[in-house]
Amino acid sequence: MRSLITRPRLLAVLLTGTALAFSPLGGTATAKLPLDQLDSLNCITPAGASAKGGRGPDTREMSPAEQRAVEAQTAQILRDKAARGVGVPKGALATATVPVYFHVMRAAAGNGDVTDSQISQQMAVLNKTFAGGESPAAANTGFTFTLADTFRYNNNQWHQDKQSSTYRKQTRKGGANALNIWLVDFSYLGIATFPWDYSRSKGVDGIRVHFDSLPGGSIANYNLGETATHEVGHWLGLYHTFQGGCTATNDEVADTAAQSSPTNGCPDGRDSCTLPGLDPINNYMDYSYDSCYNQFSPGQSTRISDMWTAYRA
Ligand SMILES: [Zn+2]
């Protein structure tokens, strides 16, 4: 997830199990907008974030053991599918055109609406970022996105992301391969579900994104549409680049250097761990400003392929 904060975003860490947790990290006592969080069965936990509070009532941190369990389960599924000849040949990467359903959750009076042009621009951002179009160093993931439909609702509760399990179950479209994006007004930039939770939480699968984070939105530094890119990264199985902090395991991706905590802004040269490599501040799975983001790494592209094959293909 990505939280909306005036400065730092939050961190999320994952886990499985049930619920999501998040906490805003850093920032001042007045920071309010968390950037993002992971949804059900996942959770987020920034190192040291507990001191900041902000965790949900039914959330818990994902333990290292739970993270290992997810990795082991995924590896087993991939081995089983490979043995059956399902999926892409060894060494090849899965690609897909993902149908996208937008759900504009407006208030009764209409607040929270976005234009068709903004949705079109958001789609263009997804396609550009997942194609590696923002930097020569960026991976082309091979994933493209096509607008399947747009729905608009007027409901004060839904607009504020209240009764989210209910409204998602009532409005979600498509199967495991369909991306549902609910645009709401809440204190986060975005919240996502992980692919390994799809089988037991089909009805709520997708991402919730602050409507003002779309291109042309009003959230300063976070209104170029890249919150959706970050959340889709989670939806495709990526962890934050600061997942696990300064550990070798970190985010389970070898070519994203470990970092101790989320990045705020765009601090060139940041190096928060003694492990090799500068912090990947330009990576979509950090919490940097939208203008700072420009890439997924090749390792993340491979992880997306594996997760797609295991859970969404
Ligand atoms: Zn996130």
Side-chain angles (χ1 to χ4, degrees), residues 252-265:
E252 307 285 354
V253 174
D255 63 2
T256 54
Q259 60 186 130
S260 66
S261 61
T263 298
N264 173 36

Side-chain angles (χ1 to χ4, degrees), residues 256-310:
T256 54
Q259 60 186 130
S260 66
S261 61
T263 298
N264 173 36
C266 197
D268 201 31
R270 183 179 190 236
D271 190 8
S272 64
C273 293
T274 57
L275 290 164
L278 296 177
D279 291 10
I281 65 167
N282 303 121
N283 195 283
Y284 297 122
M285 299 316 293
D286 197 350
Y287 272 181
S288 317
Y289 287 165
D290 278 9
S291 58
C292 190
Y293 280 161
N294 66 20
Q295 62 189 274
F296 285 117
S297 73
Q300 287 174 319
S301 180
T302 296
R303 182 176 175 85
I304 286 172
S305 169
D306 287 345
M307 290 293 175
W308 185 264
T309 298

Side-chain angles (χ1 to χ4, degrees), residues 1-3 10-12 36-38 44 190 230-231 234 240 242 285-287:
M1 60 174 124
R2 206 184 184 200
S3 25
L10 311 193
L11 340 150
D36 83 336
Q37 54 176 323
L38 296 179
I44 343 178
H230 174 106
E231 302 305 334
H234 287 314
H240 288 138
F242 46 84
M285 299 316 293
D286 197 350
Y287 272 181

